[in-house]
Amino acid sequence: MAQNATIYKVELSVSDMDRHYYETHKLTVAKHPSETDERMMVRIIAFALNAHENLEMTKGISTEDEPDIWQKSLSGERDVWVALGLPSEKVMRKSCSKADKVIVYPYGGRTADIWWDKIKGSTNRFENLQVIGFSEKDTGALAKLANRTMKLQINIQDGEVMVSVGDSIVYLTPLKWKSAA
């Protein structure tokens, strides 16, 4: 018998001083049975880093033709395509052909480092691709904040991210492995 997704209710307050974006988003996040707390929290951070009124979570991990997060224009074009994990070169090529801007957030420590060393040379031709990694220490600390009902305050300034939930604070330093042209 297949397990159902676990539903998380998230009140996400984003204060992004770098982009001058200040908004609160009420998210319902479906955590797939195979998804870890670490991945789900990275997904929420990726949402905050790209927050926009048209940004939305997709079916994600259970759907091959959709990213984890996307932003569509009012006419339906895909403006931003956000993927998590360690996609193959083929998947990144397809993603880059489907959206104006593609951002991949790899995580997983040494595994992500090995993946990037192997794939980075083949990504140079994708001018609309950004790759932004996180340290295993940072994502591990994030995973400990996961709770079925969360009020997250995310402050972004000078590329640094501060995540607070109640009395707990985690600082993240996103690492730009590849910038879009």
Side-chain angles (χ1 to χ4, degrees), residues 116-175:
W116 182 241
D117 286 342
K118 179 180 174 186
I119 203 167
K120 68 181 165 188
S122 64
T123 65
N124 291 335
R125 64 183 178 193
F126 306 130
E127 294 182 3
N128 60 335
L129 174 68
Q130 289 182 346
V131 180
I132 301 171
F134 296 104
S135 77
E136 190 170 26
K137 178 181 160 255
D138 288 353
T139 59
L142 264 181
K144 292 176 184 171
L145 299 178
N147 200 323
R148 295 281 301 272
T149 304
M150 292 183 276
K151 284 189 174 191
L152 292 170
Q153 174 63 48
I154 310 244
N155 296 323
I156 304 165
Q157 185 172 12
D158 299 328
E160 298 291 319
V161 180
M162 183 186 82
V163 182
S164 61
V165 179
D167 294 337
S168 301
I169 297 175
V170 172
Y171 294 95
L172 305 169
T173 302
L175 309 167

Side-chain angles (χ1 to χ4, degrees), residues 55-120:
L55 194 69
E56 59 187 67
M57 300 264 185
T58 66
K59 294 176 186 169
I61 205 168
S62 61
T63 309
E64 287 185 26
D65 283 349
E66 289 183 0
D68 294 284
I69 301 166
W70 64 17
Q71 178 183 320
K72 290 184 177 181
S73 68
L74 295 176
S75 57
E77 287 91 19
R78 295 178 200 114
D79 293 333
V80 181
W81 181 285
V82 179
L84 274 55
L86 313 174
S88 67
E89 185 271 337
K90 179 181 176 182
V91 169
M92 286 194 287
R93 181 179 67 242
K94 281 177 142 179
S95 301
C96 288
S97 70
K98 292 179 179 181
D100 294 338
K101 180 180 180 183
V102 175
I103 308 166
V104 175
Y105 292 96
Y107 63 93
R110 182 79 182 121
T111 306
D113 293 338
I114 292 168
W115 165 83
W116 182 241
D117 286 342
K118 179 180 174 186
I119 203 167
K120 68 181 165 188

